[in-house]
Amino acid sequence: MIMAMPNISFLTLADLCDRWGVKPPHIGALALDQKLVLSIGLSGVRAEVGEWQKVDIDEWQRLPEGWQYLTGIFDLKRNDAWSIIKHGPRVIDSVMPVEPDGYIEIRRQEDLPEFVVAPDDLLIRREEVERFEANNAPAPRDVSAPSLSRGGPGAPPKYDWESFWIETCRRLHDDGPPSTQKEMVLNLLGWFDDKGAAVPDESTVKKKVSKLWKALGLASQSVA
């Protein structure tokens, strides 16, 4: 007798890429932009837990509450998720706490190696995938509105923004960020032109790139 496969509560990075038809850097960009939470599985990993207490306007101090051995699925910080996808295996020293003012810091045990996470270790909770898909589903058509055309689909968007973001992530993954934000904008405008697609104006691309530029912590670089 063949047993039915139980309902899996999480997807791997490869599963999600197949499901959405995208590449890992695209998923990494969503995590970096705080639109998707990536997780990892832990088993018996020693960690210090506690909370941050505000002692002054811009000053916080750590208040340890003790040690725990973590077992289960824990959410990653967005920078760690991005770095693992972009650079490969990475030492992780913390995971996201349940409480907003808390912290969970992984402590290396003397007889064990550092805790390293590879892209194949990344997990995405099924409920997180379904939340993202529900929030990003196309809006339903208003059937009460008169139809302006018959017998065919609506006009495609003027600019291929989906491919634009995939290309942006691919370039960041393969080549790293350019020296300036303007260089990235001009490179992507050239990409639109090279593929024979409609080319948006520079200010539109700059607005889109600037958000990612800030999320990557590159705002201190020249944007000229």
Side-chain angles (χ1 to χ4, degrees):
M1 178 178 179
I2 300 176
M3 182 177 178
M5 186 69 177
N7 185 27
I8 302 299
S9 60
F10 57 84
L11 283 73
T12 65
L13 179 62
D15 291 336
L16 190 57
C17 287
D18 288 343
R19 181 183 178 108
W20 288 351
V22 298
K23 295 182 179 180
H26 195 180
I27 304 298
L30 291 174
L32 194 61
D33 201 26
Q34 295 182 297
K35 293 182 178 179
L36 188 71
V37 176
L38 274 60
S39 309
I40 52 172
L42 302 178
S43 178
V45 175
R46 188 169 183 257
E48 178 186 299
V49 298
E51 65 177 21
W52 290 98
Q53 183 180 65
K54 190 173 184 179
V55 295
D56 205 342
I57 296 178
D58 295 317
E59 185 177 352
W60 295 73
Q61 68 178 8
R62 183 188 282 107
L63 296 179
E65 296 177 354
W67 299 89
Q68 290 184 6
Y69 285 88
L70 308 178
T71 296
I73 307 299
F74 291 82
D75 296 337
L76 284 171
K77 295 180 179 179
R78 59 175 178 163
N79 289 337
D80 287 334
W82 165 260
S83 295
I84 292 166
I85 291 176
K86 177 174 173 57
H87 301 294
R90 172 185 172 90
V91 174
I92 297 299
D93 57 14
S94 64
V95 292
M96 292 295 294
V98 176
E99 300 297 331
D101 292 335
Y103 70 85
I104 302 176
E105 294 189 352
I106 296 172
R107 300 300 189 189
R108 180 183 178 185
Q109 296 174 252
E110 293 183 0
D111 56 338
L112 295 175
E114 292 181 302
F115 187 74
V116 177
V117 178
D120 287 345
D121 299 323
L122 296 175
L123 303 172
I124 306 91
R125 301 174 192 270
R126 183 172 293 278
E127 61 190 30
E128 175 69 2
V129 174
E130 293 173 350
R131 178 201 62 78
F132 180 89
E133 292 175 342
N135 291 340
N136 291 275
R141 185 173 67 89
D142 184 358
V143 296
S144 65
S147 176
L148 299 179
S149 61
R150 302 179 63 184
K158 185 175 181 180
Y159 306 116
D160 188 357
W161 294 119
E162 181 176 355
S163 295
F164 164 84
W165 283 119
I166 292 174
E167 176 65 14
T168 300
C169 294
R170 186 195 67 76
R171 290 179 180 229
L172 289 172
H173 179 268
D174 293 349
D175 307 323
S179 57
T180 65
Q181 178 180 306
K182 184 175 181 64
E183 182 180 348
M184 176 178 277
V185 170
L186 294 178
N187 288 343
L188 290 168
L189 286 170
W191 170 79
F192 273 108
D193 190 46
D194 290 343
K195 69 194 293 283
V199 181
D201 60 86
E202 183 175 335
S203 62
T204 299
V205 175
K206 182 178 180 180
K207 288 179 182 178
K208 293 182 177 294
V209 168
S210 64
K211 294 180 180 180
L212 180 59
W213 199 258
K214 291 177 182 177
L216 291 172
L218 301 172
S220 60
Q221 295 188 22
S222 172
V223 297

